[in-house]
Amino acid sequence: MKIIHDRLKLFGAASAFAGSLFAAGTLVADEVMLYQMFTTEENSTNYVIATPDANPDPVDTSPDFVVVGHGLNPADPRMRFHEGRVNEPGVLGRGGTIEGEWMWTARRMTTVPGHSGQEFQGEGLSDRDARLKIAFNVEGYGDLRVVLNQCVGASGHEPNDDFYIRIRFDGGDWFEIGGFKSSSSNAYPIYYVGPHDTMTMMDDDRKLTRIFAEWGWDLPGHGSIMEMQLTYSGNAFNEDHYTNNLRIFGNPNAKLYDASFADAESSEPEAGADPVPNYLTITLNEPAPAGGAVMDLIPVDRRSANSVDLPESVTIPEGQTTVEVPAYMIQDNQYTGRKLVDIWVTGEGHSTEIARVRVEDTSSKPILSFMEALNVVPGLNFDDVFGDANNDGYYHNTQDQFLEIVNWGDEPVDMSGYRIGDDLDDRHYITDGTILHPMQPFVVFGGGPPSGTFGGAIVQIASGGGNGLGLNISSRAEFAYLDTPYREQIQLVHIPMQRADHLAITNELDPDHPGYGISSGNHRLEFGPGDPDEEFVFGPETLHVLIEGAEGRLFSPGYWYDGSLYYDAENKITLTIDNLTFPDSAGPNAATGTIVLEDPAPAGGLEVFIDTDGVIMRDDGSFIPRRVDLDSLYVTVPEGATEATFRIGAYDRGVLDGDETINFFARSGPYVYPGWAQVVVEDTFENDYNVVINEIMADVEGQG
């Protein structure tokens, strides 16, 4: 991945061009094949707005752009995709490189009511996406590259829109090249390379801001007519992207060649079976020079790297034009669905090409079902603890939101990298190593810290929760989805408008709890409780408090609506701590924790993991103290015994960090009910500070 990384460093921030571009590891002379400032002498870009009956595909090379979206209407004040091309003072930060005052904008995108996502077949646009489409002749050129100036909107606008680029040659496959994608709501988009489902993490060096900066992406491949699509997503009235100085570069001196897999379709090997090779064939348009032609083989993204086993490079011998490279599909032991695997092929003096293979998953589709959704937290004030779903001691309108999922299958499911989100965006990336066992619940809260056992569920906090929005599900009607890491859908449910209470989304999977569980309205699923080919429709949504047997419970994360466990517990842990409050100066023997089993430990003993937020976990599994210290995170209850103890030490960091409540969990196997306890660590650092908040301006009047 070194070449891609080098290109990120060179083009992932504002930079100047002096008639040359980085390509295939060298600086070569390139030609400007297109330069678009989105204006003419009449101050109007030459574009047309597509309609369902007149959506050119492939796009003609005239006009300059075709604009595609749902119900786009230039006369409609609600649709402003093509508005605001003059850089009005105060609209956005200037900076960077901008020719004149003109730009293209996806500002304040809305849609005309009554138009659905089926309006433009094959476009793959959501209700608040719109797209610029352009086509032009690239025959004879290689090392193609797109460079543009980009920024997001003014202060007060939400900066988390997505923007991505895809291309194709001569009507072939579309390839997603990269773009800008936000890691969570209200986080600035991050530059990335690869498909649109690439996961992004916050990186200030690649962050799109209000200031115009220059960005670029390689465009692998060659042909006669290249089509390019710039897709803008604007899921709210005050979200926007601005584009200026769009340029396409190409190198007429780059050596062109072909790279493709012998079989366009492959599959993972069955478990335990030897993989059958597919072959990547590289064919030069002239014999390899003296010493041969070395071609690097670079997976475009992590999905591709984890799906196919290829050498890092291959040499085409001197005088020859073709080489076949064996490619072995990898069994990843996880259901990820059908995957597009893309490999970049590049070499000194040669253009960059891309080879694609579609890989079928041999793992069975898991039966995972949403079982409960708290989209409107009951209560209004901090002390409305009846709405405290995460049990952290107070009410919070987004942190107490949660979604609950249960594994109804007969096998454990590796949910690493699975995505939970709604019709606007991803809300949570499930962490690596998350294995959900049969009938085990999984609960993701908007924030926390969640405190309690939650029915033995795997509990996580929404990865978008750091900005205070948590899961960001609301009282409006929307959808919630569970997807694999690469966008294969596991389940989609409808969450209707609710303002007074939250939902128990319900199904018919358990005869002891008829009619209750998760619901998807009239959405038909692709799997059933017994026969994977069976289809069934979930029943209507039901308010949790109204379910017969709920006994007034407003929610039940990790449990059935009646408070019972989803699974039969093999054993139960009770955790007690003899000293529930101690100062951080108490030393190594501040308290003693006791693990008590309901039934004696089995043969070989029962290993119990002490999970606490009082220490800091390292990536290698070790830990360092934060507010408490332990001898080990593992305690073994001996065979036949029911008790074991462990030492809890106090840890003083020597700073003023206040009193803190520390959670302790005692966990064992997936069907051993965990224990939970809390202690309060008191801060003994003397407070000599005299800091007062003197003024707060909570609301700012005006706009822009």
Side-chain angles (χ1 to χ4, degrees):
M1 299 298 288
K2 182 177 184 301
I3 292 177
I4 294 179
H5 181 66
D6 286 346
R7 289 173 178 172
L8 283 176
K9 289 192 293 184
L10 185 59
F11 292 107
S15 58
F17 285 83
S20 62
L21 284 176
F22 180 85
T26 60
L27 288 172
V28 297
D30 282 354
E31 294 183 9
V32 179
M33 307 184 69
L34 177 141
Y35 192 174
Q36 176 60 257
M37 293 189 296
F38 303 106
T39 182
T40 66
E41 292 180 0
E42 293 77 25
N43 293 334
S44 175
T45 299
N46 181 20
Y47 68 90
V48 298
I49 294 180
T51 66
D53 299 328
N55 180 27
D57 192 11
V59 179
D60 192 355
T61 56
S62 177
D64 295 341
F65 282 96
V66 175
V67 187
V68 179
H70 301 288
L72 294 180
N73 180 356
D76 193 318
R78 294 166 295 189
M79 182 61 244
R80 300 180 180 178
F81 179 73
H82 53 279
E83 179 199 72
R85 285 177 287 135
V86 177
N87 187 12
E88 299 171 358
V91 172
L92 50 88
R94 290 297 303 273
T97 302
I98 181 171
E99 297 291 340
E101 300 291 333
W102 293 85
M103 66 203 75
W104 190 270
T105 176
R107 183 184 179 197
R108 298 181 179 179
M109 289 170 57
T110 58
T111 56
V112 177
H115 292 83
S116 70
Q118 300 301 314
E119 181 171 356
F120 290 97
Q121 292 291 341
E123 287 288 352
L125 295 174
S126 66
D127 283 346
R128 289 183 179 174
D129 285 353
R131 175 173 289 156
L132 294 179
K133 298 165 63 173
I134 187 173
F136 49 95
N137 194 314
V138 294
E139 188 170 3
Y141 287 81
D143 285 332
L144 300 169
R145 184 159 184 81
V146 59
V147 179
L148 51 80
N149 293 83
Q150 195 85 353
C151 70
V152 291
S155 177
H157 286 214
E158 298 178 28
N160 62 308
D161 283 347
D162 292 348
F163 167 91
Y164 64 94
I165 303 169
R166 64 177 189 166
I167 62 169
R168 70 174 178 178
F169 295 91
D170 301 326
D173 274 3
W174 287 105
F175 292 97
E176 293 187 0
I177 301 303
F180 303 99
K181 183 176 176 62
S182 176
S183 59
S184 63
S185 297
N186 280 354
Y188 281 95
I190 301 299
Y191 171 93
Y192 71 93
V193 172
H196 186 49
D197 56 27
T198 299
M199 296 182 187
T200 61
M201 303 301 289
M202 185 55 66
D203 183 341
D204 287 341
D205 290 337
R206 294 185 291 132
K207 183 170 64 175
L208 195 63
T209 69
R210 294 178 54 204
I211 305 300
F212 267 106
E214 194 165 79
W215 308 85
W217 294 264
D218 288 326
L219 307 176
H222 71 278
S224 296
I225 298 297
M226 185 183 80
E227 298 169 63
M228 175 180 290
Q229 298 180 345
L230 309 178
T231 300
Y232 302 79
S233 174
N235 59 36
F237 181 77
N238 58 340
E239 299 186 355
D240 44 16
H241 266 281
Y242 296 86
T243 303
N244 180 255
N245 301 352
L246 173 68
R247 287 146 288 166
I248 306 295
F249 295 85
N251 180 6
N253 300 314
K255 296 178 181 179
L256 305 179
Y257 58 96
D258 294 315
S260 62
F261 284 92
D263 297 317
E265 306 278 345
S266 283
S267 64
E268 296 176 348
E270 297 288 345
D274 293 330
V276 177
N278 194 346
Y279 287 91
L280 173 61
T281 301
I282 303 172
T283 304
L284 305 181
N285 60 0
E286 60 183 48
V294 178
M295 311 300 288
D296 294 318
L297 310 178
I298 307 169
V300 170
D301 59 356
R302 187 174 70 172
R303 159 180 50 195
S304 300
N306 293 343
S307 299
V308 62
D309 185 11
L310 277 169
E312 293 184 359
S313 64
V314 63
T315 300
I316 302 176
E318 177 181 339
Q320 297 187 21
T321 59
T322 302
V323 67
E324 287 187 341
V325 186
Y328 296 92
M329 303 305 131
I330 297 172
Q331 173 55 260
D332 57 14
N333 297 312
Q334 183 188 32
Y335 179 79
T336 52
R338 195 167 188 252
K339 294 177 285 189
L340 289 178
V341 175
D342 292 332
I343 305 297
W344 280 16
V345 183
T346 186
E348 184 74 23
H350 289 79
S351 181
T352 300
E353 299 295 324
I354 192 166
R356 168 171 288 176
V357 60
R358 291 172 170 81
V359 181
E360 295 290 345
D361 201 335
T362 57
S363 302
S364 59
K365 187 173 185 177
I367 305 178
L368 299 171
S369 180
F370 286 103
M371 294 302 296
E372 191 174 355
L374 177 52
N375 60 329
V376 179
V377 181
L380 295 173
N381 302 309
F382 181 87
D383 55 357
D384 287 338
V385 292
F386 57 84
D388 179 21
N390 63 15
N391 199 37
D392 63 358
Y394 62 89
Y395 160 90
H396 195 285
N397 66 331
T398 59
Q399 292 186 8
D400 285 309
Q401 292 179 345
F402 70 84
L403 291 169
E404 176 194 82
I405 296 169
V406 172
N407 176 13
W408 290 91
D410 297 327
E411 298 293 333
V413 177
D414 181 0
M415 297 177 67
S416 302
Y418 276 35
R419 303 162 186 250
I420 297 174
D422 59 14
D423 49 331
L424 299 183
D425 208 350
D426 295 330
R427 301 301 182 187
H428 179 57
Y429 296 147
I430 296 178
T431 55
D432 288 345
T434 301
I435 308 297
L436 195 63
H437 288 78
M439 294 309 300
Q440 186 178 18
F442 171 92
V443 179
V444 56
F445 285 101
S451 302
T453 54
F454 300 105
I458 296 176
V459 177
Q460 295 180 8
I461 297 174
S463 51
N467 53 31
L469 292 177
L471 284 167
N472 205 27
I473 54 178
S474 64
S475 59
R476 64 178 178 81
E478 60 181 310
F479 290 92
Y481 61 76
L482 174 66
D483 284 354
T484 71
Y486 311 122
R487 293 301 187 200
E488 185 78 9
Q489 191 172 99
I490 300 296
Q491 194 183 26
L492 175 73
V493 297
H494 177 242
I495 301 179
M497 184 81 72
Q498 291 293 333
R499 298 193 183 281
D501 196 358
H502 87 295
L503 302 176
I505 29 194
T506 68
N507 61 33
E508 303 280 354
L509 287 176
D510 192 307
D512 295 330
H513 299 84
Y516 299 107
I518 272 217
S519 158
S520 57
N522 294 322
H523 178 70
R524 185 171 293 276
L525 303 181
E526 298 176 355
F527 52 82
D531 182 357
D533 296 326
E534 179 184 349
E535 292 186 345
F536 64 99
V537 178
F538 284 128
E541 301 83 1
T542 306
L543 291 178
H544 193 285
V545 72
L546 299 181
I547 299 175
E548 184 178 353
E551 298 179 350
R553 294 180 179 86
L554 296 175
F555 39 73
S556 55
Y559 300 89
W560 276 111
Y561 60 87
D562 58 6
S564 60
L565 297 177
Y566 280 109
Y567 57 90
D568 294 327
E570 297 172 353
N571 210 330
K572 181 179 180 180
I573 298 175
T574 300
L575 175 63
T576 61
I577 298 175
D578 64 350
N579 189 5
L580 299 182
T581 302
F582 51 81
D584 57 12
S585 59
N589 297 300
T592 298
T594 301
I595 296 166
V596 179
L597 303 182
E598 188 173 66
D599 297 315
L606 182 70
E607 186 177 62
V608 178
F609 174 64
I610 306 301
D611 182 9
T612 175
D613 52 10
V615 303
I616 299 172
M617 293 296 299
R618 293 193 175 111
D619 291 339
D620 61 2
S622 62
F623 72 95
I624 57 175
R626 187 180 68 83
R627 300 302 302 268
V628 299
D629 195 9
L630 305 171
D631 294 326
S632 171
L633 297 182
Y634 293 91
V635 178
T636 298
V637 181
E639 177 180 339
T642 58
E643 289 190 17
T645 61
F646 61 95
R647 179 191 62 83
I648 301 174
Y651 182 73
D652 187 356
R653 296 189 292 178
V655 296
L656 180 64
D657 42 21
D659 298 349
E660 184 177 355
T661 299
I662 303 297
N663 285 290
F664 285 85
F665 299 90
R667 309 185 192 276
S668 190
Y671 303 116
V672 175
Y673 191 79
W676 167 70
Q678 290 180 319
V679 301
V680 175
V681 179
E682 297 175 327
D683 190 5
T684 57
F685 191 91
E686 186 174 352
N687 184 1
D688 292 329
Y689 301 104
N690 186 20
V691 178
V692 177
I693 297 176
N694 190 58
E695 185 176 4
I696 295 176
M697 186 172 186
D699 296 297
V700 181
E701 294 184 359
Q703 300 179 6

